[in-house]
């Protein structure tokens, strides 16, 4: 529960996040609203009184898109003003400070999965709202607590992949994207024979590590004859170790070592923006640790960039090379907010109205987390649709641990590649962190 989370935060003091206003006290506000479809249910709230909703989020890449739906909703509900505050670098720390001070925003952002339970006591129950019914089944699961209540709103559907430059692979005579570790080694040889750098990385960022690692976790779960959620639970309980899973103990670290040996210089100095720029400018064939959110930035730099997506080659089994889809970010509505009813009405409008359905694909240009919404006119979502016609998506196993763990994991991996920790030292501390910060219980 959050009390434990707060104790953890006091000791860890998260200083940054990929997650990257105050409500009053009406405990029943969230339960008194009658859902609205497209903003047509005027009986849900009083349209005559001025209402201010304070949103605190950590997604600066969607600032313009958020402001667009705020402006559109003003046309639907002129009495509602939505104040948007966006912070990234210190978001986690500031959010926890607001909650500890009793100043929980009307809307705030967390990761999904395990963090749905972490913030459950502050989150309105959205299970019976139209917005919950609009979610895809996979996304609804990502937004649900352990007891089945929908407590989060998906910011977007997401896609986690190994991106590649189709032109550079073709220039090197690579006709099939590598799906196994042996095929990856062969591709690296061919790329370097043509003077092409295989990898660009953003290892300065702690959060890229979890996006890579989850592909190997999925493979380890398959090898163990279980699912990723159960395997992560065993790590959190201390009932298994990396050495029980060669795909984690050997393959994951071998992959990281490979990206360093055959990657761009100064990996610990390259952040997300630098990585995207290098990739878009054709400085490397593969980009690690990223996802669908990067396509627009790539295309802004190089409009005709021919982008490909693939699963990571995690083993000698091609079927374990899978793309991963799902929702890893959630907005939460403060259940004790004085404007909880109006806030729920707003998001019901966004997730069910015709404007909302088109907003995801045409304004935010993200993979819609709701049913019956078109895909954005972007290359990655289209390729995802084609891949999923014949292949299964991997499990979004990043959701089964908390971001307190993932940040510590990223920092330990940075120490490993920086040379201040050996592989076994990093693994030992990762396993301890999984037990300490692993879940919301």
């Amino acid at each position: 529960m959050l009390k434990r989370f707060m104790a953890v935060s006091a000791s860890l003091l998260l200083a940054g996040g990929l997650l990257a206003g105050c409500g009053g006290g009406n405990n029943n506000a969230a339960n008194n609203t009658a859902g609205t479809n497209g903003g047509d249910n005027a009986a849900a709230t009083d349209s005559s009184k001025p209402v201010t909703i304070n949103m605190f989020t950590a997604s600066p890449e969607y600032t313009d898109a958020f402001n667009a739906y705020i402006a559109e909703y003003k046309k639907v509900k002129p009495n509602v003003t939505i104040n948007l505050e966006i912070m990234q670098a210190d978001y986690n720390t500031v959010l926890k400070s607001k909650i500890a001070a009793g100043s929980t925003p009307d809307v705030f952002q967390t990761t999904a999965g395990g963090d749905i339970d972490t913030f459950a006591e502050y989150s309105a129950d959205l299970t019976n709202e139209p917005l919950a019914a609009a979610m895809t089944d996979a996304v609804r699961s990502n937004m649900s607590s352990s007891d089945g209540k929908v407590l989060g709103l998906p910011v977007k559907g997401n896609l986690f992949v190994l991106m590649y430059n189709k032109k550079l692979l073709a220039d090197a005579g690579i006709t099939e994207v590598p799906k196994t570790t042996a095929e990856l080694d062969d591709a690296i040889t061919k790329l370097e024979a043509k003077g092409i750098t295989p990898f660009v990385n953003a290892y300065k960022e702690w959060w890229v590590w979890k996006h890579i690692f989850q592909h190997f976790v999925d493979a380890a779960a398959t090898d163990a004859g279980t699912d990723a959620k159960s395997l992560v639970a065993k790590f959190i309980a201390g009932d298994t170790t990396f050495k029980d899973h060669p795909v984690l103990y050997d393959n994951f670290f071998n992959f990281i070592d490979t990206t360093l040996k055959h990657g761009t210089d100064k990996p610990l100095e390259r952040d997300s923006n630098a990585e995207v720029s290098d990739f878009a400018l054709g400085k490397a064939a593969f980009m690690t640790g990223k996802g669908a959110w990067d396509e627009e930035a790539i295309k802004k730099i190089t409009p005709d960039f021919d982008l490909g997506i693939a699963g990571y080659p995690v083993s000698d089994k091609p079927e374990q090379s899978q793309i991963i889809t799902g929702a890893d970010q959630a907005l939460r509505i403060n259940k004790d907010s004085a404007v909880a009813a109006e806030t729920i009405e707003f998001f019901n409008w966004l997730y069910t109205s015709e404007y909302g359905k088109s907003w995801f694909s045409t304004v935010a240009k993200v993979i819609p987390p709701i049913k019956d919404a078109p895909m954005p006119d972007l290359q990655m979502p289209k390729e995802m649709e084609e891949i999923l016609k014949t292949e299964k998506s991997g499990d979004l196993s990043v959701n089964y641990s908390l971001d307190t763990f993932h940040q510590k994991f990223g920092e330990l991996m940075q120490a490993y590649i920086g040379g201040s920790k050996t592989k076994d030292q990093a693994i030992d501390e990762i396993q301890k962190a999984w037990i300490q910060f692993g879940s919301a219980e």
Side-chain angles (χ1 to χ4, degrees):
M1 301 302 293
L2 194 64
K3 289 182 177 134
R4 179 180 180 279
F5 177 81
M6 288 300 184
V8 166
S9 69
S11 62
L12 186 62
L13 270 182
L14 297 182
L18 168 63
L19 284 180
C22 309
N26 180 358
N27 290 324
N28 297 317
N31 298 322
N32 290 339
T33 183
T36 178
N37 190 341
D40 296 329
N41 188 353
T45 57
D46 183 354
S47 297
S48 63
K49 68 172 185 177
V51 170
T52 299
I53 298 171
N54 292 304
M55 288 181 61
F56 183 50
T57 79
S59 296
E61 66 271 30
Y62 300 117
T63 301
D64 291 343
F66 287 166
N67 282 325
Y69 71 48
I70 288 170
E72 187 67 22
Y73 194 62
K74 195 71 174 176
K75 301 174 186 176
V76 177
K77 293 283 185 178
N79 64 309
V80 177
T81 298
I82 301 174
N83 292 329
L84 178 64
E85 180 184 0
I86 298 181
M87 176 180 290
Q88 190 170 44
D90 293 318
Y91 179 82
N92 289 301
T93 302
V94 174
L95 174 62
K96 287 181 289 186
S97 296
K98 286 176 180 283
I99 292 174
S103 300
T104 307
D106 302 318
V107 181
F108 59 96
Q109 184 174 337
T110 73
T111 49
D115 271 326
I116 294 296
D117 282 333
T118 304
F119 294 88
E121 62 186 291
Y122 300 96
S123 303
D125 184 353
L126 307 172
T127 308
N128 297 318
E129 295 296 333
L131 59 88
M135 296 177 194
T136 65
D137 291 343
V139 166
R140 183 180 172 117
S141 176
N142 295 149
M143 297 296 120
S144 297
S145 60
S146 55
D147 59 0
K149 294 179 181 177
V150 178
L151 301 180
L153 298 155
V155 176
K156 60 187 180 301
N158 226 334
L159 172 65
F160 303 91
V161 293
L162 181 65
M163 295 186 215
Y164 64 93
N165 184 321
K166 290 183 177 181
K167 180 182 182 301
L168 292 184
L169 264 64
D171 289 347
I174 301 169
T175 56
E176 296 288 336
V177 182
K179 286 182 172 290
T180 66
T181 50
E183 290 171 356
L184 179 61
D185 289 341
D186 181 63
I188 289 170
T189 299
K190 290 178 177 177
L191 287 165
E192 291 184 335
K194 291 290 185 179
I196 300 168
T197 300
F199 293 99
V200 62
N201 310 299
Y203 291 154
K204 182 179 180 179
E205 309 281 8
W206 67 263
W207 48 266
V208 301
W209 296 96
K210 63 180 180 178
H211 296 158
I212 300 171
F213 186 61
Q214 66 181 338
H215 293 264
F216 292 83
V217 170
D218 283 358
T222 300
D223 288 344
T226 187
D227 57 78
K229 186 174 185 179
S230 299
L231 179 61
V232 170
K234 289 184 70 176
F235 272 108
I236 291 171
D239 293 337
T240 192
T241 70
F242 274 55
K243 289 186 177 180
D244 297 327
H245 309 280
V247 75
L248 300 182
Y249 186 79
D250 296 319
N251 297 20
F252 170 66
F253 281 87
N254 288 343
F255 177 79
I256 297 303
D257 291 344
T258 297
T259 65
L260 294 169
K261 182 179 179 181
H262 303 282
T264 48
D265 294 336
K266 300 180 179 179
L268 287 175
E269 296 179 19
R270 309 303 287 169
D271 63 9
S272 177
N273 290 334
E275 181 187 33
V276 168
S277 176
D278 287 347
F279 184 63
L281 293 172
K283 294 183 179 181
F286 295 104
M287 183 164 78
T288 63
K290 307 302 284 299
W293 60 92
D294 287 311
E295 180 172 348
E296 277 214 286
I298 293 168
K299 296 293 181 69
K300 282 181 181 178
I301 296 170
T302 306
D304 61 348
F305 191 96
D306 200 359
L307 179 63
I309 62 172
Y312 285 72
V314 296
S315 67
D316 59 359
K317 301 171 184 175
E319 68 274 13
Q320 290 187 336
S321 178
Q322 297 179 318
I323 64 171
I324 291 178
T325 61
D328 63 321
Q329 297 288 304
L331 295 178
R332 318 295 283 270
I333 297 174
N334 174 12
K335 71 178 180 63
D336 296 328
S337 165
V339 293
E342 291 85 352
T343 306
I344 292 173
E345 185 175 18
F346 162 61
F347 282 108
N348 275 331
W349 166 83
L350 180 65
Y351 283 78
T352 63
S353 67
E354 289 307 310
Y355 173 83
K357 289 179 181 179
S358 66
W359 176 84
F360 289 102
S361 57
T362 62
V363 181
K365 296 184 179 178
V366 297
I367 298 169
I370 58 175
K371 305 168 188 172
D372 304 321
M375 281 288 176
D377 187 22
L378 294 171
Q379 199 167 345
M380 288 176 68
K382 290 177 181 177
E383 293 209 11
M384 178 193 77
E385 280 193 303
E386 287 303 310
I387 289 171
L388 293 181
K389 287 177 182 177
T390 56
E391 300 178 19
K392 292 194 303 181
S393 169
D395 195 347
L396 191 60
S397 57
V398 69
N399 273 349
Y400 303 133
S401 303
L402 305 185
D403 250 20
T404 45
F405 162 73
H406 288 304
Q407 179 163 355
K408 184 66 174 178
F409 173 83
E411 292 167 353
L412 290 168
M413 288 305 301
Q414 289 167 339
Y416 166 71
I417 68 171
S420 61
K421 292 191 185 298
T422 66
K423 170 182 166 180
D424 284 328
Q425 286 173 336
I427 286 173
D428 180 62
E429 292 192 39
I430 288 169
Q431 290 173 169
K432 290 176 180 176
W434 227 334
I435 295 170
Q436 183 180 7
F437 305 128
S439 74
E441 295 303 321

